[in-house]
Amino acid sequence: MFEDNHAAGGVFDFDEIADHLIEQGEDVSPSELHGCLTGLICAGATGEAAAGLAGVNQALKLDLHGELADLMLRLYDVTQAALQDDEFEFHPLLPDDDIELTLRVDALALWCRGFMSGFARVTASAGRGSQGLPGDSAEILKDIAMMIEAGVDEDLSEDESEANFMEIVEYLRFATLNVFMDTQGQLESGELTPPSVH
């Protein structure tokens, strides 16, 4: 969800990215793409955006090119900057709030799936899996993995479901920042070796 008051300054439009994906014949959600980019960065792959694009292509078995690849390069840079920002400007890329809740919940689940794919790609290439992560981050990764199965509870009212969704998004936002900061702390202290993504 990138709006004018969020990190990307309104540059990234969910529907525009979705249209590019359809044009390229890729059956993947913009949320899953952003989740994957974020997972790569949170696992420590804070190198060049081109390496991030290659990582996404490999983790999700895609072949993004042309204008969409350019968009992904910019999204990688903006996401990395948002994660590093002291004002906690990071937000997952999800459909607008006026979209039906079921579709937003589906997109949230796909974002989480993408995050886990990107995170796993980096940690596997570095030969460390989830070992060595501080306790909070290890638990957060389990939570994010569980969110891949997220759905709407039909027994709740629309207002309750909406409130629950917003609460989960906010948790996900700060949980992601927590994993990023833990990894950065370990990289800076030398506990982790910086991985390379090619």
Side-chain angles (χ1 to χ4, degrees):
M1 207 180 317
F2 285 130
E3 298 166 1
D4 287 338
N5 61 335
H6 292 167
V11 172
F12 300 100
D13 179 86
F14 186 95
D15 292 334
E16 180 188 356
I17 296 173
D19 289 344
H20 282 300
L21 286 164
I22 290 168
E23 286 168 12
Q24 292 193 10
E26 299 289 6
D27 183 22
V28 63
S29 163
S31 294
E32 189 169 3
L33 281 181
H34 185 242
C36 189
L37 284 176
T38 306
L40 292 167
I41 297 167
C42 284
T46 53
E48 293 296 315
L53 175 62
V56 167
N57 277 333
Q58 290 166 8
L60 299 181
K61 297 178 175 55
L62 302 173
D63 179 24
L64 306 182
H65 54 274
E67 194 174 341
L68 180 56
D70 291 340
L71 267 174
M72 289 302 103
L73 293 173
R74 288 174 24 224
L75 184 57
Y76 186 90
D77 285 337
V78 168
T79 300
Q80 187 167 278
L83 287 164
Q84 294 168 340
D85 188 86
D86 292 337
E87 300 297 319
F88 308 116
E89 284 296 321
F90 171 78
H91 291 264
L93 179 60
L94 299 170
D96 291 337
D97 291 343
D98 58 355
I99 299 298
E100 182 185 340
L101 181 60
T102 304
L103 297 177
R104 284 182 281 141
V105 170
D106 289 347
L108 176 73
L110 289 169
W111 191 95
C112 293
R113 186 169 79 180
F115 180 92
M116 295 305 294
S117 296
F119 196 92
R121 161 130 181 81
V122 173
T123 54
S125 68
R128 58 178 151 92
S130 60
Q131 296 174 347
L133 280 175
D136 284 354
S137 285
E139 287 304 311
I140 286 168
L141 289 176
K142 289 178 187 174
D143 289 345
I144 293 174
M146 286 177 61
M147 288 182 199
I148 294 171
E149 304 299 325
V152 177
D153 186 342
E154 300 297 336
D155 294 332
L156 297 179
S157 70
E158 188 175 334
D159 287 346
E160 287 173 320
S161 294
E162 195 69 49
N164 284 350
F165 176 75
M166 297 309 292
E167 190 175 310
I168 291 169
V169 171
E170 197 65 1
Y171 169 77
L172 182 61
R173 197 165 82 79
F174 282 98
T176 302
L177 287 162
N178 193 86
V179 173
F180 173 77
M181 289 186 281
D182 280 350
T183 300
Q184 290 306 302
Q186 289 190 309
L187 288 169
E188 288 165 12
S189 70
E191 292 175 67
L192 291 180
T193 304
S196 59
V197 176
H198 301 290

